[in-house]
């Protein structure tokens, strides 16, 4: 279920709730510099005991700002499943962030999902009950 589509997009439910952890569920290694796109490639390979996750994820980070530029996700059969690109870097609330994220599934020609950040706030104080079950069940 966690690897299923989130609201018909090309993201998975796991992408949204981040049930998996790159730190806990993957072993990471620096592959080296890349030319297209330019930057540094990091490969994360799922640990043998990790369940329902990508087999591996390869990410490229821009060498000038260490922001993500591209991520490629490989399924359990080690086939490229989707590519995410990160672009249109802007300064929002004092931080440089990619404001356009594009997800392209590899086996569905012509399909793509784009997310565009229009405004971002960081370090926002939230009350402890913001995501409590009772508050989420309330209708407005």
């Amino acid at each position: 279920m966690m690897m299923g589509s989130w609201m018909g997009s090309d993201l998975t439910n796991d992408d949204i709730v981040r049930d998996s952890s790159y730190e806990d569920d993957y072993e990471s290694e620096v592959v080296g510099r890349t030319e297209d796109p330019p930057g540094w490639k990091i490969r994360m390979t799922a640990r043998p005991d990790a369940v329902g996750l990508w087999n591996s994820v390869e990410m490229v980070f821009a060498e000038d700002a260490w922001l993500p530029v591209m991520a490629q996700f490989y399924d359990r059969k080690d086939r490229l499943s989707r590519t995410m690109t990160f672009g249109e870097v802007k300064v929002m609330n004092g931080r440089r962030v990619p404001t356009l994220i594009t997800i392209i599934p590899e086996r569905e020609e012509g399909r793509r999902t784009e997310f565009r950040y229009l405004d971002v706030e960081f370090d926002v104080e939230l009350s402890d009950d913001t995501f409590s079950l009772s508050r989420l069940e309330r209708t407005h």
Side-chain angles (χ1 to χ4, degrees):
M1 180 170 156
M2 293 308 290
M3 295 305 278
S5 173
W6 176 72
M7 296 182 67
S9 75
D10 296 304
L11 288 176
T12 66
N13 292 307
D14 184 65
D15 291 324
I16 301 302
V17 300
R18 188 54 62 203
D19 192 41
S20 64
S21 162
Y22 288 135
E23 183 177 3
D24 295 336
D25 296 329
Y26 292 88
E27 294 182 17
S28 300
E29 66 176 311
V30 176
V31 175
R33 289 181 183 253
T34 63
E35 295 295 321
D36 187 26
W40 284 90
K41 183 184 282 189
I42 309 293
R43 178 178 296 125
M44 294 171 282
T45 305
R47 296 181 192 277
D49 58 339
V51 178
L53 304 173
W54 300 106
N55 186 55
S56 63
V57 179
E58 293 182 353
M59 294 192 75
V60 176
F61 293 89
E63 58 188 339
D64 62 338
W66 285 102
L67 292 172
V69 176
M70 182 178 71
Q72 293 183 302
F73 296 79
Y74 293 83
D75 66 17
R76 286 298 186 168
K77 294 181 180 177
D78 211 28
R79 297 174 301 192
L80 179 60
S81 183
R82 71 175 185 192
T83 299
M84 292 176 75
T85 59
F86 305 83
E88 296 185 15
V89 174
K90 297 179 183 173
V91 175
M92 294 185 152
N93 289 312
R95 297 185 193 182
R96 291 177 43 130
V97 294
T99 61
L100 176 63
I101 300 172
T102 304
I103 303 103
I104 302 167
E106 295 299 321
R107 291 184 280 283
E108 296 181 53
E109 190 170 326
R111 184 174 166 98
R112 67 191 300 129
T113 299
E114 289 186 353
F115 289 91
R116 209 174 279 280
Y117 290 98
L118 303 176
D119 188 32
V120 176
E121 292 184 38
F122 297 101
D123 304 319
V124 175
E125 292 288 329
L126 298 173
S127 69
D128 290 340
D129 74 337
T130 298
F131 298 104
S132 68
L133 182 57
S134 63
R135 188 155 185 192
L136 292 172
E137 287 177 336
R138 278 189 230 152
T139 58
H140 297 275

